[in-house]
Amino acid sequence: MSANSDHEQQIAAGDTLRITEIFHSLQGESRTVGIPTVFVRLTGCPLRCVYCDTEYAFSGGELMSIDDIRQQVATFKAGYVTVTGGEPLAQPTCLPLLTALCDDGYQVSLETSGAMSIAGVDQRVINVLDLKTPGSAEVERNDYGNIALLKPTDQVKFVICDREDYLWSRFKIDELGLSDRVSDVLFSPSFEQLSGADLAAWILEDKLPVRMQLQLHKILWGDGPGR
Ligand code: SF4
C-alpha cells in the first residue's frame, strides 16, 4: 500500500468509510440466499486468499459518510442489507455503520474473513464468519477468539478448495463444536477449484450437518462488480 493510500485509509477512519460499491442484487450465499438484498462493499482487505473474487475492492473506492450510505441504501427499498468487502472490519467505522443500519430496521448481515475480532459488532447483526482453510493460504489468520463470540443466529462459512480442505473443515466443526454454536455451517466449493458434485458426495457420505451452497450470483451473472 502506498503512503498516499495509507493516508486515505486514515481519513476513512473518522466518521466516513471508504466504499467500493453499493448495489442491489439477490443474496448469492448464506441462509438468505435468493432474497433481494442491498450490498455495501467496503474497500480494503489485509488478507490475500488465493481464490479471492473481489480483488477490485482492495483499493480505490469512494469516501462516504454513514448518512450518505444510509440514504443510498434506502433508495433500494429492500429489507436485507449485507455489509461486505474486502474485509469490512478493517475500517473501524464499520461498527457504527452496522448499528445505524440496524436502527433503520433492516436485517443486517456482516460477511467477515474471521481474521478480525467481531467483539464490537452490534448484537442485532448476523455474522457470516469465514474460517480460512489451508487451501486459502491464509489459515494462519483465523482469530479463534471469535468462536466464543458467535451467537445462535450467526453462520460460519468454509470455502473448500480440495479434499484436504474438506477434511480440515470437518475436523474444525467437531473441534470447535460449531454445529451447536451457530444456526448454519456453510460449505462452499471454491469456484473453479473444486466440483460441487464432489463436495456434495463427501458431505452425504459423512452425513455432515452442514448446508452446502453454490454462489447463486455467479451462476446467474458470472464474476465481477455489482453482483
Ligand atoms: S478475506 Fe475475502 S476479500 Fe479478503 S482476500 Fe480473502 S476472499 Fe478476498
Side-chain angles (χ1 to χ4, degrees):
M1 184 179 279
S2 70
N4 186 45
S5 56
D6 271 342
H7 177 63
E8 288 173 350
Q9 210 70 39
Q10 284 162 13
I11 291 171
D15 63 351
T16 60
L17 296 103
R18 185 159 285 278
I19 300 295
T20 292
E21 55 183 349
I22 298 175
F23 62 98
H24 187 222
S25 187
L26 298 183
Q27 176 59 263
E29 349 185 27
S30 83
R31 196 171 60 235
T32 56
V33 65
I35 295 179
T37 300
V38 179
F39 292 83
V40 180
R41 189 182 305 286
L42 274 60
T43 308
C45 182
L47 282 71
R48 290 295 179 266
C49 305
V50 295
Y51 49 69
C52 185
D53 56 5
T54 50
E55 290 171 324
Y56 64 89
F58 286 169
S59 59
E62 178 190 348
L63 288 175
M64 293 181 73
S65 70
I66 289 177
D67 280 346
D68 288 343
I69 295 167
R70 289 167 99 162
Q71 283 174 24
Q72 197 162 327
V73 167
T75 63
F76 297 109
K77 304 188 186 311
Y80 292 74
V81 179
T82 294
V83 175
T84 187
E87 168 48 73
L89 293 176
Q91 296 190 51
T93 313
C94 181
L95 296 177
L97 171 66
L98 290 166
T99 294
L101 293 170
C102 290
D103 289 347
D104 287 345
Y106 302 110
Q107 181 173 312
V108 179
S109 62
L110 170 69
E111 295 183 338
T112 178
S113 66
M116 307 194 68
S117 177
I118 58 170
V121 174
D122 193 296
Q123 291 294 299
R124 295 170 289 180
V125 171
I126 294 169
N127 294 296
V128 182
L129 182 93
D130 277 17
L131 277 187
K132 295 298 180 189
T133 62
S136 73
E138 291 286 23
V139 67
E140 303 300 330
R141 305 295 288 267
N142 287 323
D143 176 356
Y144 288 105
N146 280 329
I147 302 300
L149 301 173
L150 289 167
K151 309 183 295 297
T153 50
D154 289 339
Q155 305 169 55
V156 172
K157 183 175 86 176
F158 295 86
V159 176
I160 297 175
C161 301
D162 52 26
R163 176 75 182 172
E164 183 193 339
D165 270 7
Y166 173 79
L167 295 173
W168 183 90
S169 304
R170 190 182 71 179
F171 175 78
K172 285 293 175 191
I173 290 172
D174 189 40
E175 181 190 47
L176 302 172
L178 293 179
S179 299
D180 295 330
R181 285 185 184 278
V182 294
S183 71
D184 292 89
V185 177
L186 309 166
F187 271 25
S188 294
S190 177
F191 199 62
E192 294 181 340
Q193 280 189 285
L194 175 63
S195 123
D198 283 349
L199 180 56
W202 299 338
I203 290 169
L204 291 171
E205 188 180 358
D206 289 340
K207 301 181 174 56
L208 218 56
V210 301
R211 181 190 292 261
M212 179 175 148
Q213 55 175 10
L214 302 172
Q215 293 172 296
L216 177 65
H217 52 296
K218 289 189 186 173
I219 295 169
L220 291 174
W221 302 301
D223 233 345
R227 295 166 183 171

